[in-house]
């Protein structure tokens, strides 16, 4: 202290002999000397942040704990290499304690930095949301969920409504219904305000559930809860509810939601009707009847159908039946009082009459000099008499929509241009007639619609199923004309038409030449065709390929062999009883072929079967420790 006073005295004396400029210069020197010690001993907070940012950029150093400077704050941590510090605690344990002491904050915008921690201890909520959105975009739902359940929990960050909305929406799209409702319950416990989009996503989760029973139970419970709480129903929520009830098989409740929309004054649009048609398509027994009701309601409300609407209508025509005939007649009579399905007589246009399938046994009568046929055609508001009990095929039901040509003309008249999906569905809705198929493709050319590979594959499959094997092979010419490249599905449907060993060997050779690997599904299809043709040579050849390609037979492969063996036994008994039987039993080599075939079955059964383990649809979204 004495030396400092003496030194200070000399300084004061020296300053008193200097002019003003020299005094100012001397003060600057003293200031720099005092500041130098500060800068040498400690960096600024900004420098620390820059250093941490650089460390975070290096992934290999993310877990390294290196302390370079002492922070000028009350909560600073001691340095391990500081000579003035006597002993230190483990930096990881100290940091863990600091994190545990952090409390959740409502609007935490403070970026806190701790020594030894890689990066921030807590991000802004918006930054967590960005991570979640990125993971959802990349279809990484588990990683998105971990942002909330692992990272935010560890960093004591409090989620808001937006975080939950993102995750519930992601779970809904993936059909992870259970997790979507768990997140919803977490929101309720936190007292967060429910947005309409949350309810919409929850109903979407029910619609996409892999288990319809679970989906309908959750959807019904949520709907009742909304009614109890007086949640205001809007169009978006209503559409989600219709989709949930419809896809889960509750078609009547889906129609009831539309009635509720009408009562509450919510606008009913073409989109609403599209959701109803989706519901109709899930009801295989009577979906077509419901689809006609939806269609006529659209016409009554002057709602303009879109191409998507027509494609849904075709889907119902292809996949769904009329249901109860008496109810079908009653419903259509109610919707179309001018249409009597049994007795109404109108002159049939030549094009419609030409498209009527021959197997419908259309009744023809004469009224004066006018020949009339009676079948209901909703597209043209005309009707002709048919026995409704015989309407069992898709092309029978298509007549209610005007047939192939009438349906396309109806689309064009409402300003909806058919697309490739329209014609692909029409392919299965028109009759098994090659002339109809050619007319369909002619219409495609007229409308400028190019045939794609899916269309060609479906055409091959249809012709093979109808035993038109040469016609199926002709489709390969169409594939070449359209400059398309066959895929494994193409060869799979071609396998349906392989009727002998030569065809099978040729197809397998083409598959290898195209760079595809022969799989058990294609071999199984070839085996089915060989069994249907009683071709023992082809069966032996295909079974030997299992060993050659080191493939495991699946359940279907074995069932094909067992079914063929039962068919043989059935014909043997018929021959013994003097009844009609397949003439191949009279072949001189039949007994030997049959004995070899029975040994072949035992050999295949001795092989390891391809696993058919059920994979839980939510397994990919769960961490290993979580139970099913």
């Amino acid at each position: 202290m004495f030396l400092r006073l003496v030194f200070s005295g000399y300084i004061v004396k020296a300053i008193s002999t200097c002019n003003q400029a020299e005094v100012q210069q001397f003060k600057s020197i003293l200031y720099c000397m005092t500041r130098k010690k500060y800068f040498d001993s400690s960096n600024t907070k900004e420098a620390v942040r820059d250093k941490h940012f650089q460390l975070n950029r290096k992934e290999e150093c993310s877990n390294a704990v290196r302390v370079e400077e002492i922070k000028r704050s009350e909560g600073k941590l001691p340095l391990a290499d500081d000579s003035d510090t006597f002993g230190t605690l483990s930096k990881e344990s100290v940091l863990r304690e600091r994190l545990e002491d952090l409390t959740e904050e409502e609007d935490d915008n403070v970026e806190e930095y701790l020594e030894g921690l890689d990066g921030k201890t807590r991000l802004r909520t918006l930054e967590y949301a960005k991570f979640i959105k990125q993971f959802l975009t990349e279809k990484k739902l588990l990683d998105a969920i971990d942002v909330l359940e692992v990272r935010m929990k560890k960093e004591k960050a409090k989620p808001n409504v937006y975080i939950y909305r993102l995750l519930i929406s992601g779970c809904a799209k993936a059909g992870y219904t259970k997790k979507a409702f768990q997140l919803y319950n977490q929101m309720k416990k936190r007292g967060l305000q429910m947005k309409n989009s949350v309810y919409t996503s929850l109903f979407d989760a029910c619609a996409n559930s892999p288990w319809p029973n679970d989906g309908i139970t959750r959807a019904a419970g949520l709907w009742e809860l909304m009614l109890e709480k007086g949640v205001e129903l809007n169009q978006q929520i209503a559409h989600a509810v219709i989709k949930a009830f419809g896809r889960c098989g509750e078609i009547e409740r889906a129609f009831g939601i539309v009635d509720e929309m009408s009562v509450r004054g919510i606008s009913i649009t073409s989109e609403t009707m599209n959701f109803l048609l989706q519901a109709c398509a899930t009801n295989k027994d009577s979906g077509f009847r419901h689809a006609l009701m939806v269609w006529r309601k659209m016409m009554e409300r002057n709602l303009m159908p879109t191409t998507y609407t027509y494609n849904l209508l075709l889907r119902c025509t292809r996949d769904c039946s009329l249901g109860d005939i008496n109810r079908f007649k009653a419903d259509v009579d109610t919707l179309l009082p001018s249409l009597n399905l049994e007795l109404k007589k109108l002159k049939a246009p030549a094009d419609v009459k030409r498209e009527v399938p021959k197997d419908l046994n259309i009744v023809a009568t004469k009224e004066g000099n006018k020949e009339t046929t009676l079948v209901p055609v909703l597209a043209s508001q005309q009707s002709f008499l048919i026995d409704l009990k015989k309407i069992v095929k898709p092309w029978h039901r298509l007549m209610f929509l005007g047939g192939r040509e009438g349906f396309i003309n109806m689309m064009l008249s409402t300003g909806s241009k058919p697309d490739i999906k329209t014609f692909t569905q029409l392919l299965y809705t028109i009759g098994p007639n090659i002339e109809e198929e050619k007319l369909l493709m002619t219409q495609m050319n007229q409308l400028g619609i190019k045939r794609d590979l899916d269309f060609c594959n479906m055409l091959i499959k249809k012709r093979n199923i109808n035993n038109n094997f040469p016609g199926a092979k002709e489709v390969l010419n169409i594939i070449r004309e359209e400059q398309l490249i066959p895929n494994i599905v193409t060869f799979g449907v071609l396998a349906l038409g392989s009727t002998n060993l030569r065809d099978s060997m040729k197809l397998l050779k083409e598959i290898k030449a195209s760079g595809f690997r022969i799989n058990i599904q294609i071999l199984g299809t070839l085996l089915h065709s060989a069994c249907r043709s009683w071709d023992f040579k082809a069966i032996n050849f295909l079974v030997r390929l299992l060993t050659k390609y080191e493939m495991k037979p699946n359940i279907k492969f074995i069932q094909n062999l067992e079914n063929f063996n039962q068919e043989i036994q059935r014909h043997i008994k018929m021959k013994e009883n003097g009844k009609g039987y397949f003439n191949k039993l009279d072949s001189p080599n039949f007994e030997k072929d049959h004995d070899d075939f029975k040994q072949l079955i035992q050999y295949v059964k001795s092989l390891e079967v391809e696993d058919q383990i059920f994979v839980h649809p939510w397994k990919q979204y769960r961490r290993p420790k979580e139970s099913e």
Side-chain angles (χ1 to χ4, degrees):
M1 180 64 71
F2 176 75
L3 291 175
R4 289 184 181 180
L5 292 174
V6 172
F7 183 68
S8 301
Y10 281 115
I11 292 175
V12 171
K13 185 176 180 179
I15 292 175
S16 63
T17 61
C18 299
N19 58 33
Q20 187 174 0
E22 292 172 334
V23 170
Q24 186 65 31
Q25 185 178 5
F26 188 69
K27 288 181 178 180
S28 298
I29 294 171
L30 287 176
Y31 177 78
C32 291
M33 290 174 63
T34 58
R35 293 294 291 172
K36 183 177 184 301
K37 182 179 180 182
Y38 170 77
F39 281 108
D40 288 343
S41 62
S42 174
N43 282 342
T44 61
K45 189 174 182 180
E46 289 76 10
V48 177
R49 290 180 176 177
D50 291 340
K51 189 66 178 177
H52 278 292
F53 178 77
Q54 293 172 8
L55 289 174
N56 290 336
R57 299 280 293 180
K58 299 179 181 179
E59 206 173 324
E60 63 272 10
C61 299
S62 62
N63 296 322
V65 180
R66 182 180 177 186
V67 182
E68 298 180 349
E69 287 134 10
I70 301 175
K71 296 174 66 176
R72 300 174 61 85
S73 63
E74 291 185 5
K76 65 183 179 180
L77 296 175
L79 299 177
D81 55 356
D82 190 348
S83 60
D84 294 332
T85 302
F86 180 75
T88 61
L89 296 172
S90 168
K91 285 183 277 297
E92 291 186 3
S93 63
V94 174
L95 289 172
R96 194 179 301 112
E97 292 178 2
R98 291 286 303 279
L99 281 172
E100 291 174 355
D101 292 338
L102 283 174
T103 57
E104 293 182 345
E105 298 178 13
E106 184 63 32
D107 295 310
D108 183 19
N109 294 323
V110 178
E111 296 177 358
E112 186 174 348
Y113 295 82
L114 295 177
E115 294 167 349
L117 182 65
D118 180 20
K120 304 173 183 178
T121 65
R122 183 186 291 133
L123 302 174
R124 294 183 178 91
T125 305
L126 184 60
E127 293 179 83
Y128 291 113
K130 288 180 180 179
F131 284 127
I132 292 173
K133 288 183 70 174
Q134 181 63 31
F135 284 133
L136 293 177
T137 302
E138 297 171 357
K139 308 295 183 184
K140 298 178 180 178
L141 180 58
L142 178 58
D143 292 332
I145 295 172
D146 281 348
V147 173
L148 170 67
E149 297 186 343
V150 179
R151 181 168 181 176
M152 293 184 71
K153 184 178 181 180
K154 179 181 178 182
E155 298 176 3
K156 303 289 183 176
K158 190 172 184 178
N160 59 9
V161 175
Y162 184 52
I163 294 288
Y164 280 108
R165 283 171 54 194
L166 285 174
L167 288 175
I168 291 175
S169 176
C171 291
K173 292 177 181 177
Y176 196 177
T177 317
K178 183 177 180 180
K179 178 58 70 174
F181 276 83
Q182 285 178 349
L183 295 169
Y184 167 66
N185 290 330
Q186 289 179 25
M187 289 185 69
K188 291 192 293 184
K189 290 178 181 179
R190 289 183 176 273
L192 297 176
Q193 183 181 2
M194 297 296 168
K195 303 289 186 180
N196 288 338
S197 58
V198 174
Y199 291 110
T200 302
S201 294
L202 287 172
F203 281 113
D204 283 339
C206 297
N208 297 328
S209 174
W211 296 283
N213 290 338
D214 178 68
I216 196 62
T217 301
R218 293 181 186 273
L222 183 61
W223 175 250
E224 294 297 329
L225 182 64
M226 287 178 58
L227 295 179
E228 290 177 7
K229 288 188 173 183
V231 178
E232 184 178 355
L233 182 67
N234 59 26
Q235 188 185 71
Q236 187 179 21
I237 296 177
H239 286 172
V241 179
I242 294 170
K243 181 167 67 172
F245 284 142
R247 288 189 181 180
C248 294
E250 289 285 342
I251 190 169
E252 299 295 342
R253 298 188 73 166
F255 274 86
I257 299 301
V258 179
D259 295 335
E260 187 74 17
M261 291 176 66
S262 182
V263 171
R264 299 195 184 194
I266 300 173
S267 177
I268 297 175
T269 64
S270 297
E271 186 181 9
T272 310
M273 296 302 182
N274 288 344
F275 284 116
L276 274 181
L277 286 173
Q278 289 181 26
C280 297
T282 62
N283 190 321
K284 305 303 180 185
D285 293 332
S286 58
F288 183 69
R289 174 173 65 85
H290 288 98
L292 292 184
M293 294 171 64
V294 173
W295 178 255
R296 299 311 302 179
K297 284 293 184 183
M298 288 189 69
M299 299 299 101
E300 291 176 2
R301 291 177 174 270
N302 293 320
L303 298 176
M304 188 62 66
T306 62
T307 301
Y308 181 61
T309 308
Y310 284 106
N311 288 342
L312 284 172
L313 190 59
L314 273 180
R315 181 180 163 193
C316 295
T317 306
R318 181 193 66 189
D319 299 337
C320 306
S321 301
L322 274 63
D324 182 77
I325 297 298
N326 294 327
R327 190 171 180 183
F328 175 80
K329 291 165 60 177
D331 287 340
V332 176
D333 283 339
T334 300
L335 293 172
L336 300 173
S338 62
L339 177 62
N340 186 312
L341 293 183
E342 292 181 341
L343 300 174
K344 186 171 176 62
K345 303 174 184 179
L346 290 174
K347 184 177 180 181
D351 56 342
V352 176
K353 182 181 176 182
R354 186 182 65 246
E355 287 192 47
V356 175
K358 296 179 180 179
D359 54 350
L360 282 183
N361 296 328
I362 300 172
V363 177
T365 63
K366 289 190 176 182
E367 188 176 57
N369 295 326
K370 299 179 180 179
E371 183 177 351
T372 59
T373 52
L374 310 174
V375 56
V377 183
L378 301 187
S380 59
Q381 293 296 324
Q382 297 172 347
S383 59
F384 313 95
L385 182 60
I386 298 180
D387 183 0
L388 294 180
K389 293 180 181 179
K390 293 187 177 182
I391 300 180
V392 293
K393 301 292 185 181
W395 46 92
H396 299 163
R397 295 187 287 270
L398 184 63
M399 293 309 303
F400 284 87
L401 305 175
R404 169 191 50 79
E405 190 169 354
F407 186 82
I408 296 297
N409 290 337
M410 180 170 59
M411 289 188 68
L412 296 174
S413 67
T414 57
S416 299
K417 183 179 179 181
D419 56 15
I420 186 61
K421 189 172 183 179
T422 308
F423 283 98
T424 303
Q425 292 192 109
L426 272 172
L427 186 61
Y428 267 94
T429 315
I430 61 176
N433 186 324
I434 197 166
E435 292 300 324
E436 277 293 304
E437 293 167 358
K438 290 180 178 179
L439 288 172
L440 184 70
M441 288 187 278
T442 299
Q443 280 187 309
M444 292 178 69
N445 294 333
Q446 292 172 349
L447 294 172
I449 298 174
K450 189 176 180 180
R451 295 164 292 193
D452 63 3
L453 190 59
D454 287 338
F455 178 88
C456 294
N457 288 343
M458 292 302 102
L459 183 57
I460 294 172
K461 182 179 180 181
K462 180 183 178 183
R463 289 184 176 181
N464 276 331
I465 290 175
N466 294 319
N467 296 324
N468 185 3
F469 306 126
K473 293 176 183 178
E474 289 177 2
V475 181
L476 293 175
N477 296 328
I478 299 176
I479 292 177
R480 285 189 286 268
E481 289 174 9
E482 298 289 353
Q483 297 181 345
L484 301 172
I485 300 175
N487 57 15
I488 193 65
V489 177
T490 310
F491 294 109
V493 292
L494 282 171
L496 292 170
S498 298
T499 57
N500 51 55
L501 178 59
R502 184 182 61 183
D503 289 344
S504 297
M505 294 178 67
K506 182 179 179 182
L507 180 65
L508 293 172
K509 186 177 179 180
E510 290 175 351
I511 293 174
K512 293 180 67 176
S514 299
F516 293 104
R517 187 166 180 255
I518 299 170
N519 56 37
I520 190 62
Q521 286 74 26
I522 290 179
L523 279 186
T525 303
L526 291 173
L527 179 66
H528 176 75
S529 299
C531 291
R532 187 174 58 180
S533 303
W534 288 52
D535 192 337
F536 290 101
K537 290 183 179 180
I539 293 171
N540 288 326
F541 170 75
L542 294 169
V543 171
R544 286 199 301 270
L545 289 182
L546 289 177
T547 305
K548 180 179 179 180
Y549 294 116
E550 298 181 348
M551 286 189 291
K552 301 176 183 178
N554 56 19
I555 300 298
K556 191 172 182 180
F557 191 94
I558 298 174
Q559 284 178 344
N560 282 328
L561 293 173
E562 291 181 337
N563 291 340
F564 179 46
N565 189 43
Q566 292 175 5
E567 181 73 5
I568 294 173
Q569 296 296 335
R570 188 174 67 87
H571 280 273
I572 291 175
K573 288 183 179 181
M574 291 173 63
K575 181 179 180 180
E576 292 174 351
N577 295 330
K579 297 181 180 179
Y581 59 91
F582 194 44
N583 58 8
K584 286 216 172 184
L585 268 65
D586 297 329
S587 172
N589 298 324
F590 173 74
E591 290 187 6
K592 182 179 182 304
D593 290 339
H594 187 211
D595 290 338
D596 293 342
F597 175 71
K598 287 188 288 187
Q599 293 179 8
L600 203 66
I601 294 178
Q602 297 304 318
Y603 167 71
V604 174
K605 287 184 176 181
S606 68
L607 299 175
E608 184 181 359
V609 180
E610 186 180 57
D611 291 336
Q612 298 289 332
I613 300 175
F614 171 74
V615 179
H616 198 287
W618 296 340
K619 182 179 180 180
Q620 58 182 317
Y621 308 131
R622 289 171 163 167
R623 289 177 288 276
K625 64 181 181 180
E626 292 183 282
S627 62
E628 293 294 336

